[in-house]
Structures are given as C-alpha cells and as structure tokens.
Amino acid sequence: GESVGLHLPTLSVQEGDNSIINCAYSNSASDYFIWYKQESGKGPQFIIDIRSNMDKRQGQRVTVLLNKTVKHLSLQIAATQPGDSAVYFCAENSDYKLSFGAGTTVTVRA
Amino acid sequence: DGGITQSPKYLFRKEGQNVTLSCEQNLNHDAMYWYRQDPGQGLRLIYYSQIVNDFQKGDIAEGYSVSREKKESFPLTVTSAQKNPTAFYLCASSIGLSTEAFFGQGTRLTVV
C-alpha cells in the first residue's frame, strides 16, 4: 500500500487566507520530502523540499514543516491566491524512490 | 531551454496493441522515472533508471517495459499484457535518485 498520504482530499480556502495542507508518512527511514503542485492535465511542479535533518524550510509564500516524531509533513501557503488552486502532493524518498500520496485538491474562493 | 519532453500529449490505441511513449530530457540528469496516474489518485512508480543501460522495476511494472540506451531518453512501452492501460503517464528526471524530480507534461493514453 501507499506509505504517504494526505489527511484531507479537498480543501476550500478564502482568497487571502493562509492554507495548511497535511501529509502523514509511514516510513521512518525516509530522508527527503517534496511538495508538488499539479494543475489539471499537467505534470507536477516542484514547490519546496526538506531533508530529514531539518524541521522547517521556507520559500516564497510557502513553508514546509516536518515532524519526524509523528511522521507528519505540512505545507503552509500564505495569502492564498486563485492561482494556487490545484492538487497538492507530498512525496517521500525512501529506497531511492519517490512515493506519492493521493493528493489534496485546493480550491480558492474569491 | 532545458526540460523534459513527453510525446505525444494524447494517444489512442486499440486493445491488444503495444504502444511506446516517448520521454526525452536535456537536463543532463542521470535518473529517470515513469509514473502512472489514475483519476483522483496519486502517482505510482512503474520503472526507474539510475544510469544508462540500467533500470529497475517500480511498484506496478507488470505489463510495461522500458529501455535506457541513451542518457537523455527513457521510452516506456505499454504492452498488451497490461490489463488496464488507460491512464495519464508521467515521466520525470533528477540529478540523482534522492533529489528533486522534474516532470514532463504527461501523455494521456486511451485504449479502446
């Protein structure tokens, strides 16, 4: 079965609010994690990554948090915009393979 | 521009026919991957290759075959042995196996 999963399949957010997307992983040996954004009919785009020796990493409007104790990963998007509407996947690297969860569909309300 | 190119974008085939999906990258990446995505699902790994002339099965390799004769190319053949081939196929590449993967735009295969 899948080793990576997201807590909620859908998330509706008001434009301008912050979004939090959660992900749980099961392989404690995973050492590298990535968040991807996928728009309809397109390939996934890299958003941000984090290695297991870090707890937090920030990018432009995005922050990834890693809690290795409970094997939990989250993506925070600040000031959500209509262009942020997409499916978001977390991926974990273990055994030299990237494994993906089912994704969270984020819809931004105007 | 550097990138990863999949062709064609849409592909239709009759049941029982083999079909080959193209994936080319000019990023000088060593590692390449093929994933399958079904509606509303995550990505599942079919095959991956760490280096030229070498590749390994992923989680759902049955009914698929690959080759890696050149660094920049990693074609995927969907054989007639694949029971449910209709899906969105994504190719990716990375510098190494534990680094960020860059994806192509996908090929949507429909078998009728």
Side-chain angles (χ1 to χ4, degrees), chain A residues 5-41:
Chain A
L6 291 164
H7 292 307
L8 292 174
T10 61
L11 179 66
S12 181
V13 182
Q14 184 69 38
E15 182 178 356
D17 287 353
N18 296 335
S19 303
I20 299 177
I21 307 167
N22 295 305
C23 175
Y25 65 95
S26 60
N27 191 342
S28 57
S30 294
D31 60 357
Y32 178 59
F33 304 86
I34 308 176
W35 280 100
Y36 283 95
K37 172 185 179 183
Q38 186 178 29
E39 296 175 336
S40 181

Side-chain angles (χ1 to χ4, degrees), chain B residues 11-31:
Chain B
L11 190 56
F12 294 86
R13 277 297 181 270
K14 291 184 178 180
E15 192 172 342
Q17 290 182 333
N18 291 356
V19 60
T20 297
L21 282 59
S22 171
C23 179
E24 302 278 332
Q25 53 97 1
N26 60 4
L27 300 166
N28 200 33
H29 286 171
D30 285 316

Side-chain angles (χ1 to χ4, degrees), chain A residues 2 31-32 34 36 38 41-46 49 51 89 93 95-103, chain B residues 9 33 35 37 40-43 45 48 58-59 88 90 97-106 108:
Chain A
E2 294 179 336
D31 60 357
Y32 178 59
I34 308 176
Y36 283 95
Q38 186 178 29
K42 296 183 178 180
Q45 294 175 283
F46 172 88
D49 59 0
R51 297 207 176 267
F89 295 96
N93 181 80
D95 298 327
Y96 303 107
K97 296 181 294 183
L98 274 180
S99 299
F100 288 78
Chain B
K9 188 174 177 66
Y33 316 79
Y35 287 88
Q37 187 175 30
Q41 304 293 316
L43 283 65
L45 183 64
Y48 63 103
D59 301 317
F88 189 47
L90 287 157
L97 285 182
S98 300
T99 59
E100 171 197 350
F102 293 84
F103 282 84
Q105 291 302 295
R108 189 166 299 280

Side-chain angles (χ1 to χ4, degrees), chain A residues 53-64:
Chain A
N53 60 352
M54 302 173 69
D55 298 321
K56 179 179 179 179
R57 190 156 190 238
Q58 288 184 293
Q60 187 176 10
R61 280 202 309 120
V62 294
T63 300
V64 56

